[in-house]
Amino acid sequence: MIGLSPETTPTRRGEIMTDGVITKKGVSPGKTLTIMAGVHGDEICGPEAFKELIPTLDIKRGTVHFIVANLEALTLGERQVDMNLNRAFRPNKLLTAKERGTYERKRALELMPYLRESEALLDVHSSMTKKSKPFIICEPHSFPIAKRLRFGIRSHGWDVIEAGGTDYFMNTMGKIGICIECGNHNDPKAPKLARESIIRFLTIMGAIDGRLPRECKSQKVMHAFGIYKTETNFRKAREFEDFEPLPKGTPIGYDGKKKVLAPENMLIIFPRNQDLPGKEAFILGRYE
Ligand SMILES: [Zn+2]
């Protein structure tokens, strides 16, 4: 668990860690915020950033919940135990009976109260794609904050195609929900980017002191406009980079025996082989 034990543990200066949650309070009033890491258990850049940052961070204003989300998956070193935790933050009626019985759904229900009391969320992720570009996932109401994080791309449209994430849950309440993808899981730059982004986010939100980070003028905007789900299973035709541009008609892979081609000029994101029907094989995007 990378030094973050799931048990209730008293930490420095009276901060309490309960079941993966450390709450730090400033002496002055301010916003309530949540920083989340380890929603997927194989994405260790967030928990690594927490380990270094949390003991040193001096929260001046408001309340910040630091949450290590998928404790069991992190212990296993796997993406998930029973289901994708980032699809479990949905109303009950949008989940199957099987999904409602999973560890991840139970964990999502435990974590929802922290999100309900927070004004804004930063959720730290990384990608299994080897050549992955760091990018931001958020909807346009969070763009003013996303612009000040040091990423080359901010993307939107994900709530429609992949409902049930932590940022989706915040968006349904009209709050700020920002997910950062910090690059490949094993890229040593990923935890550094995670740390820097957490500091920028807390500065922008007024929780810590510091100069307001500048807007990244070169940041591109990408619309995630579609998702390919398997009919039977999926095998990639080759390795792809995240955000690789594919001209219309490019072979992407096979769904069973059926060839899957790019339906139009598109960018491909998160391509992955899948063994079962109804699974997410890749995301389709375009720059705006
Ligand atoms: Zn993730």
Side-chain angles (χ1 to χ4, degrees), residues 79 84 86-87 90 127 133 135-140 143 153-169 171 177-181 221-229 242-243 267-272 280 282-286:
R79 179 174 172 82
N84 183 349
N86 234 7
R87 304 291 176 271
R90 280 187 278 179
S127 170
K133 286 189 176 77
F135 69 103
I136 300 170
I137 293 172
C138 67
E139 294 309 314
F143 280 2
I153 302 167
R154 66 176 182 274
S155 63
H156 69 100
W158 299 81
D159 282 1
V160 180
I161 55 176
E162 287 188 339
T166 55
D167 45 332
Y168 159 89
F169 187 70
N171 294 336
I178 298 174
C179 163
I180 53 171
E181 291 284 346
V221 181
M222 193 214 74
H223 180 209
F225 68 89
I227 184 165
Y228 186 88
K229 290 193 183 176
D242 278 336
F243 298 95
L267 307 165
I268 189 166
I269 310 134
F270 296 150
R272 64 190 71 155
E280 299 167 4
F282 58 88
I283 303 289
L284 299 85
R286 67 170 82 89

Tab-separated table of all heavy atoms in Angstrom, residues 79 84 86-87 90 127 133 135-140 143 153-169 171 177-181 221-229 242-243 267-272 280 282-286:
chain	number	residue	atom	x	y	z
A	79	ARG	N	-5.755	-3.264	-11.814
A	79	ARG	CA	-6.603	-2.114	-12.140
A	79	ARG	C	-7.865	-2.096	-11.268
A	79	ARG	O	-8.306	-1.051	-10.818
A	79	ARG	CB	-6.986	-2.182	-13.622
A	79	ARG	CG	-7.888	-1.070	-14.105
A	79	ARG	CD	-8.067	-1.168	-15.624
A	79	ARG	NE	-9.065	-0.257	-16.122
A	79	ARG	CZ	-8.848	1.044	-16.378
A	79	ARG	NH1	-7.672	1.575	-16.143
A	79	ARG	NH2	-9.811	1.801	-16.857
A	84	ASN	N	-14.779	-1.637	-12.736
A	84	ASN	CA	-14.063	-0.363	-12.843
A	84	ASN	C	-14.664	0.630	-11.826
A	84	ASN	O	-15.820	1.014	-11.956
A	84	ASN	CB	-14.212	0.144	-14.281
A	84	ASN	CG	-13.445	1.421	-14.534
A	84	ASN	OD1	-12.949	2.065	-13.617
A	84	ASN	ND2	-13.355	1.791	-15.799
A	86	ASN	N	-14.229	3.594	-11.612
A	86	ASN	CA	-14.619	4.834	-12.292
A	86	ASN	C	-15.883	4.683	-13.148
A	86	ASN	O	-16.174	5.539	-13.980
A	86	ASN	CB	-13.469	5.361	-13.147
A	86	ASN	CG	-13.139	6.805	-12.787
A	86	ASN	OD1	-13.685	7.350	-11.828
A	86	ASN	ND2	-12.278	7.431	-13.567
A	87	ARG	N	-16.628	3.595	-12.945
A	87	ARG	CA	-17.983	3.464	-13.507
A	87	ARG	C	-18.985	3.215	-12.373
A	87	ARG	O	-20.159	2.981	-12.630
A	87	ARG	CB	-18.061	2.305	-14.513
A	87	ARG	CG	-17.072	2.383	-15.653
A	87	ARG	CD	-17.350	3.506	-16.649
A	87	ARG	NE	-16.280	3.527	-17.643
A	87	ARG	CZ	-15.146	4.233	-17.520
A	87	ARG	NH1	-14.939	5.010	-16.454
A	87	ARG	NH2	-14.223	4.190	-18.444
A	90	ARG	N	-22.435	5.957	-9.988
A	90	ARG	CA	-23.674	6.189	-10.733
A	90	ARG	C	-24.855	5.898	-9.824
A	90	ARG	O	-24.724	5.188	-8.827
A	90	ARG	CB	-23.748	5.221	-11.925
A	90	ARG	CG	-22.939	5.665	-13.100
A	90	ARG	CD	-23.178	4.773	-14.281
A	90	ARG	NE	-22.388	3.558	-14.211
A	90	ARG	CZ	-22.420	2.592	-15.126
A	90	ARG	NH1	-23.212	2.695	-16.158
A	90	ARG	NH2	-21.657	1.525	-14.993
A	127	SER	N	-1.994	6.012	-17.543
A	127	SER	CA	-2.511	5.192	-18.648
A	127	SER	C	-1.661	3.948	-18.853
A	127	SER	O	-0.453	3.968	-18.646
A	127	SER	CB	-2.514	6.032	-19.929
A	127	SER	OG	-2.784	5.220	-21.051
A	133	LYS	N	0.301	10.434	-23.878
A	133	LYS	CA	0.514	11.849	-23.601
A	133	LYS	C	-0.309	12.212	-22.377
A	133	LYS	O	-1.476	11.837	-22.305
A	133	LYS	CB	-0.038	12.683	-24.764
A	133	LYS	CG	0.771	12.667	-26.037
A	133	LYS	CD	0.168	13.726	-26.974
A	133	LYS	CE	0.951	13.861	-28.250
A	133	LYS	NZ	0.734	12.801	-29.224
A	135	PHE	N	-2.867	14.177	-20.219
A	135	PHE	CA	-3.993	15.028	-20.602
A	135	PHE	C	-4.993	15.137	-19.473
A	135	PHE	O	-4.929	14.396	-18.490
A	135	PHE	CB	-4.653	14.539	-21.895
A	135	PHE	CG	-5.403	13.235	-21.780
A	135	PHE	CD1	-6.783	13.213	-21.703
A	135	PHE	CD2	-4.721	12.026	-21.778
A	135	PHE	CE1	-7.488	12.015	-21.608
A	135	PHE	CE2	-5.408	10.825	-21.687
A	135	PHE	CZ	-6.790	10.815	-21.602
A	136	ILE	N	-5.917	16.073	-19.656
A	136	ILE	CA	-6.935	16.362	-18.634
A	136	ILE	C	-8.303	15.940	-19.159
A	136	ILE	O	-8.605	16.146	-20.332
A	136	ILE	CB	-6.975	17.873	-18.318
A	136	ILE	CG1	-5.621	18.343	-17.803
A	136	ILE	CG2	-8.084	18.205	-17.334
A	136	ILE	CD1	-5.496	19.860	-17.692
A	137	ILE	N	-9.124	15.386	-18.269
A	137	ILE	CA	-10.520	15.083	-18.580
A	137	ILE	C	-11.383	15.978	-17.699
A	137	ILE	O	-11.266	15.919	-16.458
A	137	ILE	CB	-10.834	13.599	-18.274
A	137	ILE	CG1	-10.076	12.676	-19.235
A	137	ILE	CG2	-12.343	13.342	-18.321
A	137	ILE	CD1	-10.171	11.197	-18.893
A	138	CYS	N	-12.197	16.812	-18.306
A	138	CYS	CA	-13.155	17.606	-17.521
A	138	CYS	C	-14.179	18.209	-18.475
A	138	CYS	O	-13.978	18.192	-19.686
A	138	CYS	CB	-12.463	18.692	-16.705
A	138	CYS	SG	-11.703	19.991	-17.678
A	139	GLU	N	-15.252	18.722	-17.935
A	139	GLU	CA	-16.265	19.361	-18.780
A	139	GLU	C	-15.999	20.872	-18.783
A	139	GLU	O	-15.259	21.386	-17.938
A	139	GLU	CB	-17.658	18.979	-18.280
A	139	GLU	CG	-17.974	17.480	-18.451
A	139	GLU	CD	-17.729	16.931	-19.860
A	139	GLU	OE1	-18.150	17.583	-20.840
A	139	GLU	OE2	-17.074	15.872	-19.992
A	140	PRO	N	-16.593	21.596	-19.749
A	140	PRO	CA	-16.209	23.008	-19.944
A	140	PRO	C	-16.322	23.907	-18.702
A	140	PRO	O	-15.552	24.857	-18.580
A	140	PRO	CB	-17.171	23.469	-21.047
A	140	PRO	CG	-17.394	22.228	-21.861
A	140	PRO	CD	-17.451	21.104	-20.846
A	143	PHE	N	-12.995	24.219	-17.192
A	143	PHE	CA	-11.877	24.676	-18.042
A	143	PHE	C	-11.037	25.790	-17.404
A	143	PHE	O	-9.808	25.785	-17.552
A	143	PHE	CB	-12.381	25.149	-19.409
A	143	PHE	CG	-12.681	24.029	-20.392
A	143	PHE	CD1	-12.537	22.692	-20.041
A	143	PHE	CD2	-13.110	24.324	-21.683
A	143	PHE	CE1	-12.823	21.673	-20.942
A	143	PHE	CE2	-13.390	23.312	-22.592
A	143	PHE	CZ	-13.244	21.990	-22.219
A	153	ILE	N	-3.058	18.886	-23.359
A	153	ILE	CA	-4.405	18.630	-23.886
A	153	ILE	C	-5.407	18.643	-22.735
A	153	ILE	O	-5.158	18.047	-21.681
A	153	ILE	CB	-4.480	17.231	-24.553
A	153	ILE	CG1	-3.459	17.113	-25.690
A	153	ILE	CG2	-5.903	16.941	-25.060
A	153	ILE	CD1	-3.250	15.683	-26.175
A	154	ARG	N	-6.539	19.325	-22.933
A	154	ARG	CA	-7.685	19.101	-22.059
A	154	ARG	C	-8.811	18.566	-22.932
A	154	ARG	O	-8.960	18.983	-24.086
A	154	ARG	CB	-8.090	20.363	-21.285
A	154	ARG	CG	-8.618	21.492	-22.111
A	154	ARG	CD	-9.092	22.656	-21.232
A	154	ARG	NE	-9.639	23.732	-22.027
A	154	ARG	CZ	-8.926	24.723	-22.575
A	154	ARG	NH1	-7.607	24.777	-22.401
A	154	ARG	NH2	-9.518	25.648	-23.294
A	155	SER	N	-9.542	17.593	-22.376
A	155	SER	CA	-10.549	16.919	-23.189
A	155	SER	C	-11.882	16.939	-22.461
A	155	SER	O	-11.931	16.985	-21.237
A	155	SER	CB	-10.119	15.477	-23.464
A	155	SER	OG	-10.034	14.766	-22.250
A	156	HIS	N	-12.953	16.907	-23.245
A	156	HIS	CA	-14.300	16.883	-22.655
A	156	HIS	C	-15.171	15.930	-23.447
A	156	HIS	O	-14.758	15.416	-24.491
A	156	HIS	CB	-14.881	18.298	-22.624
A	156	HIS	CG	-15.201	18.840	-23.976
A	156	HIS	ND1	-16.477	18.853	-24.498
A	156	HIS	CD2	-14.405	19.349	-24.950
A	156	HIS	CE1	-16.449	19.374	-25.713
A	156	HIS	NE2	-15.209	19.687	-26.017
A	157	GLY	N	-16.373	15.682	-22.946
A	157	GLY	CA	-17.324	14.790	-23.626
A	157	GLY	C	-17.407	13.413	-22.989
A	157	GLY	O	-18.232	12.591	-23.364
A	158	TRP	N	-16.562	13.152	-21.998
A	158	TRP	CA	-16.451	11.799	-21.425
A	158	TRP	C	-17.687	11.391	-20.633
A	158	TRP	O	-17.999	10.202	-20.557
A	158	TRP	CB	-15.218	11.716	-20.524
A	158	TRP	CG	-13.941	11.984	-21.238
A	158	TRP	CD1	-13.415	13.208	-21.553
A	158	TRP	CD2	-13.032	11.014	-21.778
A	158	TRP	NE1	-12.236	13.060	-22.225
A	158	TRP	CE2	-11.974	11.721	-22.378
A	158	TRP	CE3	-13.011	9.619	-21.789
A	158	TRP	CZ2	-10.897	11.076	-22.987
A	158	TRP	CZ3	-11.937	8.979	-22.394
A	158	TRP	CH2	-10.905	9.708	-22.986
A	159	ASP	N	-18.382	12.343	-20.025
A	159	ASP	CA	-19.548	11.990	-19.205
A	159	ASP	C	-20.609	11.277	-20.028
A	159	ASP	O	-21.355	10.444	-19.519
A	159	ASP	CB	-20.169	13.255	-18.584
A	159	ASP	CG	-19.365	13.731	-17.384
A	159	ASP	OD1	-18.343	13.094	-17.070
A	159	ASP	OD2	-19.765	14.742	-16.772
A	160	VAL	N	-20.697	11.637	-21.325
A	160	VAL	CA	-21.714	11.030	-22.183
A	160	VAL	C	-21.318	9.599	-22.533
A	160	VAL	O	-22.165	8.698	-22.562
A	160	VAL	CB	-21.874	11.868	-23.482
A	160	VAL	CG1	-22.919	11.268	-24.404
A	160	VAL	CG2	-22.173	13.319	-23.145
A	161	ILE	N	-20.027	9.376	-22.780
A	161	ILE	CA	-19.614	8.055	-23.276
A	161	ILE	C	-19.145	7.105	-22.167
A	161	ILE	O	-19.177	5.902	-22.342
A	161	ILE	CB	-18.512	8.186	-24.366
A	161	ILE	CG1	-17.305	8.988	-23.853
A	161	ILE	CG2	-19.057	8.829	-25.627
A	161	ILE	CD1	-16.166	9.074	-24.848
A	162	GLU	N	-18.733	7.670	-21.035
A	162	GLU	CA	-18.223	6.828	-19.943
A	162	GLU	C	-18.774	7.324	-18.612
A	162	GLU	O	-18.020	7.794	-17.773
A	162	GLU	CB	-16.691	6.903	-19.867
A	162	GLU	CG	-15.949	6.182	-20.948
A	162	GLU	CD	-14.452	6.139	-20.691
A	162	GLU	OE1	-13.940	6.968	-19.921
A	162	GLU	OE2	-13.805	5.265	-21.264
A	163	ALA	N	-20.083	7.245	-18.421
A	163	ALA	CA	-20.668	7.754	-17.174
A	163	ALA	C	-20.201	6.933	-15.976
A	163	ALA	O	-19.882	5.757	-16.115
A	163	ALA	CB	-22.185	7.706	-17.268
A	164	GLY	N	-20.149	7.586	-14.816
A	164	GLY	CA	-19.895	6.833	-13.588
A	164	GLY	C	-18.560	7.074	-12.939
A	164	GLY	O	-18.221	6.438	-11.950
A	165	GLY	N	-17.782	8.015	-13.477
A	165	GLY	CA	-16.506	8.343	-12.851
A	165	GLY	C	-16.679	9.341	-11.717
A	165	GLY	O	-17.766	9.890	-11.493
A	166	THR	N	-15.567	9.591	-11.013
A	166	THR	CA	-15.605	10.550	-9.909
A	166	THR	C	-15.907	11.965	-10.423
A	166	THR	O	-16.672	12.706	-9.812
A	166	THR	CB	-14.248	10.569	-9.195
A	166	THR	OG1	-13.228	10.836	-10.174
A	166	THR	CG2	-13.968	9.248	-8.510
A	167	ASP	N	-15.298	12.319	-11.570
A	167	ASP	CA	-15.530	13.653	-12.145
A	167	ASP	C	-16.975	13.766	-12.639
A	167	ASP	O	-17.625	14.790	-12.456
A	167	ASP	CB	-14.517	13.968	-13.259
A	167	ASP	CG	-14.302	12.827	-14.230
A	167	ASP	OD1	-14.464	11.661	-13.834
A	167	ASP	OD2	-13.993	13.098	-15.400
A	168	TYR	N	-17.487	12.678	-13.220
A	168	TYR	CA	-18.905	12.624	-13.633
A	168	TYR	C	-19.809	12.910	-12.421
A	168	TYR	O	-20.753	13.694	-12.502
A	168	TYR	CB	-19.193	11.235	-14.215
A	168	TYR	CG	-20.643	10.816	-14.242
A	168	TYR	CD1	-21.455	11.103	-15.332
A	168	TYR	CD2	-21.198	10.106	-13.174
A	168	TYR	CE1	-22.782	10.705	-15.362
A	168	TYR	CE2	-22.520	9.707	-13.187
A	168	TYR	CZ	-23.308	10.002	-14.279
A	168	TYR	OH	-24.618	9.609	-14.299
A	169	PHE	N	-19.504	12.263	-11.294
A	169	PHE	CA	-20.316	12.424	-10.084
A	169	PHE	C	-20.319	13.884	-9.634
A	169	PHE	O	-21.360	14.429	-9.265
A	169	PHE	CB	-19.763	11.503	-8.987
A	169	PHE	CG	-20.612	11.450	-7.748
A	169	PHE	CD1	-21.841	10.823	-7.765
A	169	PHE	CD2	-20.170	12.022	-6.557
A	169	PHE	CE1	-22.638	10.773	-6.619
A	169	PHE	CE2	-20.946	11.973	-5.408
A	169	PHE	CZ	-22.177	11.346	-5.435
A	171	ASN	N	-19.735	16.476	-11.620
A	171	ASN	CA	-20.432	17.238	-12.662
A	171	ASN	C	-21.952	17.152	-12.496
A	171	ASN	O	-22.659	18.129	-12.753
A	171	ASN	CB	-20.032	16.742	-14.053
A	171	ASN	CG	-18.567	17.021	-14.362
A	171	ASN	OD1	-17.963	17.926	-13.792
A	171	ASN	ND2	-17.990	16.233	-15.249
A	177	GLY	N	-15.091	19.002	-11.424
A	177	GLY	CA	-14.562	17.633	-11.420
A	177	GLY	C	-13.480	17.520	-12.479
A	177	GLY	O	-13.772	17.638	-13.662
A	178	ILE	N	-12.245	17.340	-12.047
A	178	ILE	CA	-11.124	17.289	-12.990
A	178	ILE	C	-10.350	15.999	-12.772
A	178	ILE	O	-9.943	15.682	-11.647
A	178	ILE	CB	-10.175	18.496	-12.805
A	178	ILE	CG1	-10.934	19.797	-13.095
A	178	ILE	CG2	-8.937	18.369	-13.693
A	178	ILE	CD1	-10.131	21.051	-12.812
A	179	CYS	N	-10.156	15.254	-13.848
A	179	CYS	CA	-9.355	14.046	-13.791
A	179	CYS	C	-8.091	14.306	-14.603
A	179	CYS	O	-8.182	14.833	-15.713
A	179	CYS	CB	-10.204	12.929	-14.375
A	179	CYS	SG	-9.287	11.495	-14.836
A	180	ILE	N	-6.934	13.991	-14.048
A	180	ILE	CA	-5.700	14.159	-14.817
A	180	ILE	C	-5.103	12.793	-15.131
A	180	ILE	O	-5.005	11.931	-14.269
A	180	ILE	CB	-4.672	15.073	-14.110
A	180	ILE	CG1	-4.394	14.621	-12.672
A	180	ILE	CG2	-5.136	16.529	-14.133
A	180	ILE	CD1	-3.228	15.353	-12.012
A	181	GLU	N	-4.713	12.627	-16.387
A	181	GLU	CA	-4.023	11.416	-16.848
A	181	GLU	C	-2.563	11.812	-17.002
A	181	GLU	O	-2.211	12.601	-17.874
A	181	GLU	CB	-4.613	10.955	-18.184
A	181	GLU	CG	-6.030	10.428	-18.092
A	181	GLU	CD	-6.106	9.022	-17.498
A	181	GLU	OE1	-5.058	8.355	-17.396
A	181	GLU	OE2	-7.211	8.612	-17.123
A	221	VAL	N	-7.696	21.591	-27.076
A	221	VAL	CA	-8.977	21.067	-26.574
A	221	VAL	C	-9.403	19.902	-27.459
A	221	VAL	O	-9.443	20.026	-28.683
A	221	VAL	CB	-10.062	22.159	-26.583
A	221	VAL	CG1	-11.373	21.606	-26.040
A	221	VAL	CG2	-9.610	23.368	-25.769
A	222	MET	N	-9.684	18.774	-26.818
A	222	MET	CA	-10.137	17.604	-27.565
A	222	MET	C	-11.522	17.168	-27.123
A	222	MET	O	-11.818	17.170	-25.930
A	222	MET	CB	-9.170	16.439	-27.359
A	222	MET	CG	-9.403	15.320	-28.346
A	222	MET	SD	-9.089	13.678	-27.677
A	222	MET	CE	-10.473	13.402	-26.611
A	223	HIS	N	-12.365	16.844	-28.081
A	223	HIS	CA	-13.703	16.333	-27.778
A	223	HIS	C	-13.685	14.809	-27.916
A	223	HIS	O	-13.405	14.280	-28.991
A	223	HIS	CB	-14.719	16.961	-28.751
A	223	HIS	CG	-16.115	16.490	-28.510
A	223	HIS	ND1	-17.055	16.404	-29.492
A	223	HIS	CD2	-16.730	16.071	-27.369
A	223	HIS	CE1	-18.190	15.944	-28.979
A	223	HIS	NE2	-18.017	15.739	-27.695
A	224	ALA	N	-13.948	14.114	-26.811
A	224	ALA	CA	-14.100	12.658	-26.870
A	224	ALA	C	-15.535	12.401	-27.307
A	224	ALA	O	-16.463	12.602	-26.533
A	224	ALA	CB	-13.813	12.044	-25.499
A	225	PHE	N	-15.708	11.968	-28.555
A	225	PHE	CA	-17.074	11.934	-29.092
A	225	PHE	C	-17.640	10.532	-29.250
A	225	PHE	O	-18.811	10.362	-29.571
A	225	PHE	CB	-17.146	12.676	-30.448
A	225	PHE	CG	-16.408	11.995	-31.565
A	225	PHE	CD1	-17.042	11.048	-32.364
A	225	PHE	CD2	-15.081	12.289	-31.823
A	225	PHE	CE1	-16.370	10.413	-33.408
A	225	PHE	CE2	-14.398	11.660	-32.855
A	225	PHE	CZ	-15.036	10.722	-33.643
A	226	GLY	N	-16.833	9.519	-29.003
A	226	GLY	CA	-17.372	8.176	-29.163
A	226	GLY	C	-16.564	7.132	-28.427
A	226	GLY	O	-15.419	7.367	-28.032
A	227	ILE	N	-17.201	5.985	-28.225
A	227	ILE	CA	-16.512	4.860	-27.582
A	227	ILE	C	-16.845	3.610	-28.380
A	227	ILE	O	-17.973	3.470	-28.861
A	227	ILE	CB	-16.941	4.726	-26.103
A	227	ILE	CG1	-16.150	3.616	-25.389
A	227	ILE	CG2	-18.441	4.458	-25.952
A	227	ILE	CD1	-16.265	3.690	-23.872
A	228	TYR	N	-15.857	2.744	-28.594
A	228	TYR	CA	-16.141	1.467	-29.260
A	228	TYR	C	-16.239	0.390	-28.196
A	228	TYR	O	-15.291	0.131	-27.460
A	228	TYR	CB	-15.052	1.107	-30.276
A	228	TYR	CG	-15.421	-0.138	-31.053
A	228	TYR	CD1	-16.164	-0.041	-32.215
A	228	TYR	CD2	-15.089	-1.401	-30.582
A	228	TYR	CE1	-16.565	-1.188	-32.910
A	228	TYR	CE2	-15.478	-2.550	-31.263
A	228	TYR	CZ	-16.214	-2.426	-32.427
A	228	TYR	OH	-16.611	-3.566	-33.095
A	229	LYS	N	-17.438	-0.216	-28.116
A	229	LYS	CA	-17.620	-1.358	-27.205
A	229	LYS	C	-17.718	-2.633	-28.027
A	229	LYS	O	-18.304	-2.636	-29.109
A	229	LYS	CB	-18.876	-1.156	-26.356
A	229	LYS	CG	-18.707	-0.037	-25.344
A	229	LYS	CD	-19.791	-0.029	-24.295
A	229	LYS	CE	-19.602	1.142	-23.364
A	229	LYS	NZ	-20.672	1.268	-22.381
A	242	ASP	N	-1.658	6.969	-27.546
A	242	ASP	CA	-2.841	7.753	-27.209
A	242	ASP	C	-2.792	9.047	-28.015
A	242	ASP	O	-1.726	9.659	-28.128
A	242	ASP	CB	-2.872	8.068	-25.702
A	242	ASP	CG	-3.423	6.908	-24.882
A	242	ASP	OD1	-4.184	6.095	-25.442
A	242	ASP	OD2	-3.089	6.815	-23.686
A	243	PHE	N	-3.906	9.448	-28.571
A	243	PHE	CA	-4.055	10.657	-29.398
A	243	PHE	C	-3.407	10.520	-30.777
A	243	PHE	O	-3.189	11.508	-31.470
A	243	PHE	CB	-3.532	11.926	-28.685
A	243	PHE	CG	-4.289	12.208	-27.436
A	243	PHE	CD1	-3.824	11.760	-26.209
A	243	PHE	CD2	-5.498	12.893	-27.473
A	243	PHE	CE1	-4.531	11.982	-25.039
A	243	PHE	CE2	-6.208	13.120	-26.312
A	243	PHE	CZ	-5.731	12.670	-25.098
A	267	LEU	N	-8.867	10.649	-33.558
A	267	LEU	CA	-7.751	10.349	-32.664
A	267	LEU	C	-8.169	9.124	-31.866
A	267	LEU	O	-9.343	9.001	-31.506
A	267	LEU	CB	-7.514	11.514	-31.702
A	267	LEU	CG	-7.340	12.898	-32.320
A	267	LEU	CD1	-7.494	13.983	-31.257
A	267	LEU	CD2	-5.970	13.021	-32.988
A	268	ILE	N	-7.220	8.239	-31.582
A	268	ILE	CA	-7.553	7.054	-30.774
A	268	ILE	C	-6.979	7.234	-29.370
A	268	ILE	O	-5.861	7.748	-29.207
A	268	ILE	CB	-7.052	5.755	-31.448
A	268	ILE	CG1	-7.597	4.527	-30.708
A	268	ILE	CG2	-5.523	5.699	-31.527
A	268	ILE	CD1	-7.431	3.230	-31.483
A	269	ILE	N	-7.771	6.856	-28.375
A	269	ILE	CA	-7.318	6.967	-26.975
A	269	ILE	C	-7.680	5.679	-26.239
A	269	ILE	O	-8.734	5.089	-26.498
A	269	ILE	CB	-7.985	8.172	-26.264
A	269	ILE	CG1	-7.838	9.429	-27.115
A	269	ILE	CG2	-7.352	8.444	-24.901
A	269	ILE	CD1	-9.109	10.198	-27.213
A	270	PHE	N	-6.809	5.258	-25.326
A	270	PHE	CA	-7.005	4.078	-24.476
A	270	PHE	C	-7.360	2.803	-25.246
A	270	PHE	O	-8.297	2.087	-24.856
A	270	PHE	CB	-8.114	4.337	-23.437
A	270	PHE	CG	-7.827	5.413	-22.437
A	270	PHE	CD1	-8.873	6.155	-21.881
A	270	PHE	CD2	-6.538	5.692	-22.012
A	270	PHE	CE1	-8.628	7.147	-20.950
A	270	PHE	CE2	-6.289	6.681	-21.072
A	270	PHE	CZ	-7.341	7.410	-20.546
A	271	PRO	N	-6.654	2.485	-26.351
A	271	PRO	CA	-6.980	1.219	-27.022
A	271	PRO	C	-6.563	0.031	-26.159
A	271	PRO	O	-5.483	0.046	-25.577
A	271	PRO	CB	-6.145	1.284	-28.302
A	271	PRO	CG	-4.996	2.178	-27.962
A	271	PRO	CD	-5.506	3.175	-26.966
A	272	ARG	N	-7.437	-0.948	-26.047
A	272	ARG	CA	-7.071	-2.129	-25.250
A	272	ARG	C	-7.795	-3.365	-25.777
A	272	ARG	O	-8.931	-3.273	-26.239
A	272	ARG	CB	-7.398	-1.912	-23.763
A	272	ARG	CG	-8.856	-1.737	-23.452
A	272	ARG	CD	-9.090	-1.292	-22.016
A	272	ARG	NE	-8.668	0.090	-21.807
A	272	ARG	CZ	-9.164	0.887	-20.847
A	272	ARG	NH1	-10.049	0.447	-20.001
A	272	ARG	NH2	-8.753	2.133	-20.730
A	280	GLU	N	-15.205	-1.878	-23.185
A	280	GLU	CA	-14.669	-0.668	-23.819
A	280	GLU	C	-13.335	-0.991	-24.513
A	280	GLU	O	-12.374	-1.362	-23.850
A	280	GLU	CB	-14.457	0.405	-22.750
A	280	GLU	CG	-15.756	0.781	-22.048
A	280	GLU	CD	-15.554	1.601	-20.773
A	280	GLU	OE1	-14.394	1.958	-20.465
A	280	GLU	OE2	-16.556	1.878	-20.102
A	282	PHE	N	-11.851	1.168	-27.256
A	282	PHE	CA	-11.105	2.424	-27.463
A	282	PHE	C	-12.055	3.602	-27.511
A	282	PHE	O	-13.267	3.450	-27.669
A	282	PHE	CB	-10.248	2.376	-28.751
A	282	PHE	CG	-11.001	2.105	-30.017
A	282	PHE	CD1	-11.565	3.155	-30.748
A	282	PHE	CD2	-11.138	0.801	-30.493
A	282	PHE	CE1	-12.252	2.896	-31.927
A	282	PHE	CE2	-11.839	0.544	-31.683
A	282	PHE	CZ	-12.399	1.594	-32.393
A	283	ILE	N	-11.464	4.791	-27.355
A	283	ILE	CA	-12.209	6.046	-27.391
A	283	ILE	C	-11.875	6.766	-28.697
A	283	ILE	O	-10.741	6.713	-29.154
A	283	ILE	CB	-11.795	6.957	-26.207
A	283	ILE	CG1	-12.000	6.246	-24.854
A	283	ILE	CG2	-12.488	8.312	-26.248
A	283	ILE	CD1	-13.419	6.058	-24.453
A	284	LEU	N	-12.870	7.432	-29.273
A	284	LEU	CA	-12.680	8.213	-30.481
A	284	LEU	C	-12.726	9.700	-30.118
A	284	LEU	O	-13.634	10.128	-29.391
A	284	LEU	CB	-13.788	7.932	-31.511
A	284	LEU	CG	-13.932	6.495	-32.031
A	284	LEU	CD1	-14.786	5.663	-31.084
A	284	LEU	CD2	-14.580	6.508	-33.416
A	285	GLY	N	-11.762	10.459	-30.620
A	285	GLY	CA	-11.731	11.881	-30.302
A	285	GLY	C	-11.351	12.725	-31.499
A	285	GLY	O	-10.921	12.203	-32.534
A	286	ARG	N	-11.566	14.032	-31.334
A	286	ARG	CA	-11.064	14.993	-32.352
A	286	ARG	C	-10.707	16.302	-31.671
A	286	ARG	O	-11.317	16.680	-30.650
A	286	ARG	CB	-12.101	15.194	-33.462
A	286	ARG	CG	-13.380	15.875	-33.050
A	286	ARG	CD	-14.224	16.237	-34.271
A	286	ARG	NE	-15.021	15.117	-34.764
A	286	ARG	CZ	-16.265	14.821	-34.339
A	286	ARG	NH1	-16.850	15.550	-33.412
A	286	ARG	NH2	-16.915	13.790	-34.834
